[in-house]
Amino acid sequence: MPVTSTRLNPGETIVLATHNKGKVPEIAALVEPFGIKVVSAGELGLPEPEETALTFTGNAELKARAAAAAANLPALADDSGLAVTALDGAPGIYSARWAGPTKDFGMAMKKVERELADAEDRSAAFVSALSLAWPDGRIVTVEGRCPGTLTFPARGANGFGYDPIFVPEGHDKTFGEMDKEAKYAISHRTLAFKQLVAKVFA
Amino acid sequence: MPVTSTRLNPGETIVLATHNKGKVPEIAALVEPFGIKVVSAGELGLPEPEETALTFTGNAELKARAAAAAANLPALADDSGLAVTALDGAPGIYSARWAGPTKDFGMAMKKVERELADAEDRSAAFVSALSLAWPDGRIVTVEGRCPGTLTFPARGANGFGYDPIFVPEGHDKTFGEMDKEAKYAISHRTLAFKQLVAKVFA
């Protein structure tokens, strides 16, 4: 296999470069059907790098490279959030941080509503970046975008984060009102994963 | 898109052509990360076709075509089993039937052991066929094989079916002794799924 290959083969082990316990089984479920074994950065006691990049792809790459180097294994990282056009892309890479240490997304959604008070443009997009890095420097990074419109007040109890104020293009319901299957059918995450599969598993 | 395309796109709904309730969530988990929505043949009240073909791929195709025609949706079917060299491929497509209506695989493994009493060749393979058929006649069928050796008595309580008597090539443990991740890393099912992904999702 040439050193420029970015394939993962059945039987290989990768690190999931996240310390978010909720994300580990979710990302593991994506790669395990391809025969990939996973360990999490938390299980290995890897340090959690500071997310100092200014883009979703930059942060995903930074996390993937740090975990790959520390574990000497290929590492998969994700970074995602909501980019609001009238706010020049905010909250963007700070989407989780706007909810504070208690993950109060009710508060974060109110903050978006306040910031948009005088704005006519309610367009926004959910963005998901995935990056797979190898210890020798190889890296594959993809990004999926789901465009839509923000609506207030929030509607629906499904999903998480900003889902209840986001109406995806071509739909009437918010992500918070859609069931998981309907959301995954069009989500930024699905679009990113499909690209990753084409580059890594196909 | 040309009519000869065999791609499934995010948002499409397919039928899982199985009446085995245990298989439904397992197969659904494979395709849902690609944004595919699933309904099961059982939920739709589709008839269960007789599996009259003589090969794994033949039976998978027969089940996929029948469900696609009845539901007017793309349909995914699987057929899998253990093929023992010295038994000319038996139990093969009859792997489940050898266990009888009570799914007594202890009994089925004893039967394999008895049939092999005078045989020197203990080689065997687990085989998994997957077939995706469209109502208009398009069809994609793939087959994965995991070669190995049979061992008696049965060892290990993991997995199901004939797993406790099957030692995959290059390993010492039976599938019944391996954890799920180690088994999926080399399994016939993983190999078939990877081929399907390359043809349908990539």
Side-chain angles (χ1 to χ4, degrees), chain A residues 22-42:
Chain A
K23 276 189 185 176
V24 170
E26 204 180 328
I27 303 180
L30 295 177
V31 300
E32 283 176 347
F34 295 94
I36 304 303
K37 303 184 212 179
V38 300
V39 292
S40 73

Side-chain angles (χ1 to χ4, degrees), chain A residues 29-92:
Chain A
L30 295 177
V31 300
E32 283 176 347
F34 295 94
I36 304 303
K37 303 184 212 179
V38 300
V39 292
S40 73
E43 285 174 88
L44 296 178
L46 302 187
E48 202 169 348
E50 241 192 295
E51 300 184 20
T52 54
L54 295 175
T55 59
F56 294 109
T57 53
N59 274 328
E61 292 189 346
L62 175 158
K63 289 185 275 188
R65 285 192 204 275
N72 200 28
L73 284 171
L76 178 62
D78 86 310
D79 200 54
S80 58
L82 179 71
V84 180
T85 311
L87 305 182
D88 298 323

Side-chain angles (χ1 to χ4, degrees), chain A residues 8-12 28-30 32-38 180-182 184-186 189-191 193-194 197-198 200-202, chain B residues 8-12 28-30 32-38 180-182 184-186 189-191 193-194 197-198 200-202:
Chain A
L8 285 180
N9 293 306
E12 286 196 65
L30 295 177
E32 283 176 347
F34 295 94
I36 304 303
K37 303 184 212 179
V38 300
K180 199 176 80 174
E181 289 193 337
Y184 278 4
I186 54 172
R189 207 273 199 78
T190 299
L191 295 170
F193 179 64
K194 274 199 64 169
V197 165
V200 171
F201 296 115
Chain B
L8 284 180
N9 293 306
E12 286 196 63
L30 296 177
E32 285 178 345
F34 294 95
I36 304 301
K37 302 184 212 179
V38 300
K180 199 176 81 173
E181 290 194 336
Y184 279 4
I186 55 172
R189 207 276 199 81
T190 299
L191 295 170
F193 179 63
K194 274 199 65 169
V197 166
V200 171
F201 295 115

Side-chain angles (χ1 to χ4, degrees), chain B residues 74-111:
Chain B
L76 178 62
D78 85 313
D79 201 53
S80 58
L82 179 70
V84 180
T85 311
L87 305 182
D88 298 324
I93 57 169
Y94 306 104
S95 292
R97 278 167 271 187
W98 275 30
T102 61
K103 310 209 173 177
D104 183 349
F105 281 97
M107 176 191 74
M109 289 188 284
K110 288 276 184 208
K111 182 166 157 72

Side-chain angles (χ1 to χ4, degrees), chain B residues 8-146:
Chain B
L8 284 180
N9 293 306
E12 286 196 63
T13 298
I14 68 171
V15 181
L16 302 186
T18 177
H19 286 74
N20 179 330
K21 278 185 189 165
K23 276 191 186 175
V24 170
E26 205 180 326
I27 304 179
L30 296 177
V31 301
E32 285 178 345
F34 294 95
I36 304 301
K37 302 184 212 179
V38 300
V39 291
S40 73
E43 285 174 88
L44 295 179
L46 303 187
E48 200 168 352
E50 241 191 296
E51 301 186 17
T52 54
L54 295 175
T55 60
F56 295 108
T57 53
N59 274 330
E61 293 189 344
L62 175 158
K63 288 185 275 188
R65 285 192 204 274
N72 199 28
L73 284 170
L76 178 62
D78 85 313
D79 201 53
S80 58
L82 179 70
V84 180
T85 311
L87 305 182
D88 298 324
I93 57 169
Y94 306 104
S95 292
R97 278 167 271 187
W98 275 30
T102 61
K103 310 209 173 177
D104 183 349
F105 281 97
M107 176 191 74
M109 289 188 284
K110 288 276 184 208
K111 182 166 157 72
V112 173
E113 185 175 12
R114 280 197 308 274
E115 301 276 342
L116 277 180
D118 300 321
E120 274 185 36
D121 183 353
R122 295 296 168 104
S123 68
F126 268 120
V127 182
S128 169
L130 290 170
S131 183
L132 179 68
W134 280 259
D136 63 9
R138 282 173 289 155
I139 192 159
V140 170
T141 305
V142 296
E143 187 176 275
R145 295 177 66 86
C146 178

